[in-house]
Amino acid sequence: MQIEILRERRMEKCLTQKQLAERVGTSEVYISMLENGRRTPPFIIADRIAKELEMPVEMLFTCYVRLSRLPRFNELMYLYNLGYDISPYETEEV
């Protein structure tokens, strides 16, 4: 967990621990424990905090990593041939 990032971002947003706690549905003591590295929140709380602080959850809590990957070209062509819209994956040629 990136303790200093959590605290700094909360302060950048001009939020007290109590205000952040109220917005994410926890207690001020719990936020303090997170900022001091004594607790790791469950993903649902970590996600709420990240959304409130407008940061990716992975930056605040490094224990949560997204495992998704972009599809390869042959996978995209397979989906295209099945009739799926692959336009979100199209990139501009350089």
Side-chain angles (χ1 to χ4, degrees), residues 18 42 63 72 76 84 92:
K18 183 177 182 178
C63 57
R72 288 181 245 142
L76 282 175
Y84 288 92
E92 193 174 306

Side-chain angles (χ1 to χ4, degrees), residues 1-10 31-39 59-62:
M1 177 169 43
Q2 302 293 325
I3 299 163
E4 56 280 344
I5 293 175
L6 176 59
R7 182 177 288 126
E8 288 173 12
R9 187 63 176 186
R10 177 182 58 78
I31 298 296
S32 175
M33 291 171 71
L34 295 178
E35 288 186 356
N36 291 314
R38 291 184 288 167
R39 295 289 304 259
M59 289 185 69
L60 292 174
F61 305 100
T62 55

Side-chain angles (χ1 to χ4, degrees), residues 23-80:
R23 291 182 181 193
V24 298
T26 64
S27 69
E28 182 179 354
V29 172
Y30 189 77
I31 298 296
S32 175
M33 291 171 71
L34 295 178
E35 288 186 356
N36 291 314
R38 291 184 288 167
R39 295 289 304 259
T40 300
F43 182 77
I44 191 80
I45 300 292
D47 192 46
R48 286 182 198 155
I49 291 170
K51 285 179 183 174
E52 197 61 46
L53 298 179
E54 297 176 352
M55 289 190 77
V57 71
E58 300 91 345
M59 289 185 69
L60 292 174
F61 305 100
T62 55
C63 57
Y64 297 115
V65 178
R66 297 191 194 280
L67 299 176
S68 63
R69 63 177 177 80
L70 292 174
R72 288 181 245 142
F73 179 77
N74 61 343
E75 294 167 331
L76 282 175
M77 291 300 98
Y78 176 74
L79 294 172
Y80 178 76

